[in-house]
Amino acid sequence: GENVEQHPSTLSVQEGDSAVIKCTYSDSASNYFPWYKQELGKRPQLIIDIRSNVGEKKDQRIAVTLNKTAKHFSLHITETQPEDSAVYFCAADLSGNTPLVFGKGTRLSVIA
Amino acid sequence: SQTIHQWPATLVQPVGSPLSLECTVEGTSNPNLYWYRQAAGRGLQLLFYSVGIGQISSEVPQNLSASRPQDRQFILSSKKLLLSDSGFYLCAWSVLTGDFRLNTEAFFGQGTRLTVV
């Protein structure tokens, strides 16, 4: 089955700096790669996603890049703000009838 | 619009007692349904998923079971809880899109924080 590795497990950045979280996946047939943000005590919520036919997607301060050849994808957050502090999960999905496989999460702390 | 209900929000149960967590989805039909568990400070571990009524796939062998008696209802159960069953349980749903039946965003319920004492 699919396996998703996520790094780093914790990340601290100064407010205004950029943050990058990286994930690798094992199954080259995976075609959907969402990123979720989970604030303390709350449910994970989608912040951005990308499909395998696209190399990069951007939404304001958040961007995701995908390298299908290397089987890795990354989340980029620019101009970080204290409210970006949360746990971020990457995930990969093989097909409609298989479940999302999540990475172990990255705890991002933005220091004011 | 679609909504997902998961209850209870918190639960404290003694070791050896049974468990039943319920999740229902409104506003969509034939969703894929999932149960995830999150131990304190840890990642999201997939427990069960279902692509249709009565169809349950188990990812992790343990003393938990799941059932889908109706299209939009997913139940997580245990006959005898263990201390290691403590955690944050999340139900989620997604639907397929397009001719190629691709998966889309998974929406999570509010979660149930289970403490086994």
Side-chain angles (χ1 to χ4, degrees):
Chain A
E2 176 64 277
N3 182 52
V4 177
E5 299 285 339
Q6 182 172 348
H7 301 279
S9 57
T10 59
L11 179 61
S12 291
V13 299
Q14 291 292 128
E15 183 178 0
D17 287 351
S18 296
V20 180
I21 302 170
K22 298 181 180 181
C23 288
T24 60
Y25 59 99
S26 60
D27 196 324
S28 57
S30 288
N31 56 53
Y32 177 61
F33 307 93
W35 285 88
Y36 286 80
K37 176 183 180 182
Q38 185 180 28
E39 297 177 351
L40 189 63
K42 297 190 176 181
R43 74 187 84 183
Q45 292 192 295
L46 181 78
I47 54 171
I48 196 167
D49 57 10
I50 193 168
R51 294 200 181 274
S52 58
N53 59 346
V54 176
E56 183 175 0
K57 185 175 178 180
K58 194 171 182 180
D59 182 4
Q60 298 182 342
R61 295 186 298 108
I62 293 173
V64 57
T65 58
L66 171 66
N67 184 326
K68 287 177 59 180
T69 303
K71 290 189 286 187
H72 67 71
F73 56 112
S74 301
L75 177 71
H76 305 253
I77 306 174
T78 58
E79 301 171 22
T80 54
Q81 301 166 3
E83 51 265 38
D84 294 329
S85 296
V87 178
Y88 291 81
F89 294 97
C90 63
D93 186 33
L94 184 61
S95 74
N97 286 328
T98 59
L100 282 174
V101 177
F102 285 87
K104 291 192 183 302
T106 296
R107 184 174 298 280
L108 173 64
S109 299
V110 179
I111 304 165
Chain B
S1 63
Q2 302 91 347
T3 56
I4 178 169
H5 302 279
Q6 184 182 342
W7 67 92
T10 59
L11 191 59
V12 180
Q13 291 284 99
V15 169
S17 64
L19 173 74
S20 181
L21 301 181
E22 189 163 344
C23 172
T24 59
V25 180
E26 295 178 358
T28 188
S29 58
N30 197 29
N32 286 357
L33 296 171
Y34 314 90
W35 278 110
Y36 288 90
R37 177 171 64 197
Q38 189 173 29
R42 305 288 293 277
L44 293 162
Q45 179 189 32
L46 178 68
L47 301 176
F48 301 94
Y49 71 98
S50 171
V51 299
I53 296 174
Q55 301 177 61
I56 309 294
S57 296
S58 174
E59 292 294 302
V60 183
Q62 54 203 330
N63 67 322
L64 298 172
S65 62
S67 62
R68 184 171 179 173
Q70 300 180 45
D71 180 45
R72 288 167 289 180
Q73 184 185 29
F74 206 22
I75 298 171
L76 182 69
S77 304
S78 174
K79 292 182 179 177
K80 288 186 177 181
L81 284 169
L82 306 173
L83 286 174
S84 57
D85 291 324
S86 293
F88 190 45
Y89 288 81
L90 288 155
C91 179
W93 70 273
S94 66
V95 292
L96 307 182
T97 185
D99 295 336
F100 296 101
R101 308 282 289 162
L102 301 177
N103 219 333
T104 57
E105 175 182 359
F107 295 90
F108 287 85
Q110 66 172 4
T112 296
R113 190 162 302 282
L114 171 67
T115 304
V116 182
V117 296

